[in-house]
Amino acid sequence: MSSHSGITGKPVWIDLSTHDIEGAQHFYGELFGWSFEDQGEEFGHYHMVKHGESLIGGAMSSLIGPEGPLDEPVNPTIWSVYLGTDDVAAASQRVTESGGTVVVDPMQIGELGSMAVAVDPAGAMIGLWESDTVEGASTMSEPGLPCWFEVMSSDFDAAKPFYETVFGWEPNFTLEDGSESREAPESGFRYATNFSRDRVSAGLCDAAEFVQESYWRVYVLVDDVDKAAKQVAELGGSVLDGPQDSPFGRLYTISDPQGAQLQILSGGN
């Protein structure tokens, strides 16, 4: 098996399950300039989501099942995050050994790669992706592209060793003086990145005081976050929280008209 170690433990894909593909295409097309490209019946009308030539992720109607069209959505309307792995079958085995649950067994997706879906011990759903011809999505600090990913965990102490074991994370904590440490601070808020600063691409947040159910969330960079927040409402979406000013920029929590949530950010790194 060829090595894909460059993507191991990093977010490489985001995936939208929605009961209204056309509505999502309009909303994200107007807000971020994203396009949705139907991959046809062979792939269950899965859509590749792009910003210009940059691949963002994918989108799938929750009203299509293995046997065809459905009257009721088979999944909630939600954005999911996939982390890269060298070997999706071996990683899926580590999921169960580390207290997680595999909810979609490893499967080959044409010539693109292999996927699985798991739930971590704290209850957050996370996808696994082993690339063949598609290594992953474009994630960089350009407007219209995902720029950060984090899991809001209701049980930090269960989630941290899970991501270390399954995905090879080397969690680093930022201390009050700005330095990094592999050891958690003795008191105060706990937030760890998946790797050290030169490789960082995702975070693990001790969110027990804020959330009852753990979940992954995605940040998308925009030029003017206040203008974008107004546009969200004009397009039928909702602003759920914000504005909030952080060391990394100004942000809002939004949902699309169908209920899928994202963070929008400007002034980030």
Side-chain angles (χ1 to χ4, degrees):
M1 179 178 296
S2 60
S3 174
H4 308 292
S5 58
I7 68 168
T8 297
K10 297 180 180 180
V12 294
W13 197 253
I14 60 174
D15 192 89
L16 175 66
S17 170
T18 181
H19 58 273
D20 185 358
I21 281 281
E22 291 185 0
Q25 184 167 353
H26 174 72
F27 178 81
Y28 293 107
E30 293 293 322
L31 185 62
F32 299 134
W34 292 359
S35 62
F36 286 52
E37 299 178 1
D38 190 340
Q39 300 302 293
E41 189 171 348
E42 179 185 359
F43 291 96
H45 293 286
Y46 190 82
H47 289 65
M48 291 293 194
V49 182
K50 291 184 174 181
H51 182 272
E53 294 303 311
S54 297
L55 190 57
I56 301 294
M60 180 74 181
S61 172
S62 58
L63 291 172
I64 297 178
E67 305 302 321
L70 303 169
D71 293 328
E72 296 293 331
V74 68
N75 293 311
T77 294
I78 190 172
W79 281 101
S80 301
V81 174
Y82 284 71
L83 298 180
T85 178
D86 286 353
D87 185 332
V88 72
S92 296
Q93 181 65 34
R94 294 195 297 273
V95 166
T96 57
E97 293 170 352
S98 302
T101 305
V102 176
V103 294
V104 177
D105 290 328
M107 67 174 68
Q108 184 75 26
I109 308 298
E111 298 179 351
L112 306 179
S114 301
M115 63 156 285
V117 179
V119 176
D120 74 22
M125 185 170 292
I126 183 66
L128 297 80
W129 179 253
E130 177 189 345
S131 71
D132 284 334
T133 61
V134 173
E135 185 164 291
S138 301
T139 55
M140 59 190 80
S141 294
E142 294 181 7
L145 297 181
C147 61
W148 189 246
F149 312 83
E150 66 191 3
V151 55
M152 303 292 286
S153 186
S154 62
D155 190 342
F156 186 96
D157 293 320
K160 179 176 173 287
F162 173 85
Y163 289 98
E164 289 176 297
T165 300
V166 176
F167 296 104
W169 279 22
E170 300 168 0
N172 273 260
F173 296 86
T174 300
L175 305 182
E176 290 184 2
D177 62 3
S179 63
E180 284 188 327
S181 173
R182 290 297 304 277
E183 299 298 324
E186 293 182 1
S187 62
F189 179 64
R190 293 185 297 176
Y191 191 101
T193 55
N194 55 344
F195 297 108
S196 59
R197 221 165 259 160
D198 59 336
R199 299 172 57 204
V200 64
S201 55
L204 170 61
C205 178
D206 183 355
E209 295 183 10
F210 317 119
V211 302
Q212 292 183 325
E213 297 182 4
S214 304
Y215 66 98
W216 273 85
R217 63 185 187 178
V218 180
Y219 291 72
V220 178
L221 190 65
V222 295
D223 281 320
D224 184 333
V225 76
D226 296 311
K227 180 180 178 181
K230 292 179 181 178
Q231 191 177 12
V232 166
E234 293 168 359
L235 293 168
S238 302
V239 174
L240 304 179
D241 189 40
Q244 178 182 348
D245 291 304
S246 78
F248 305 101
R250 185 172 173 88
L251 64 95
Y252 290 81
T253 302
I254 66 166
S255 75
D256 68 21
Q258 293 74 44
Q261 295 185 25
L262 284 173
Q263 318 296 119
I264 54 175
L265 172 74
S266 64
N269 296 326

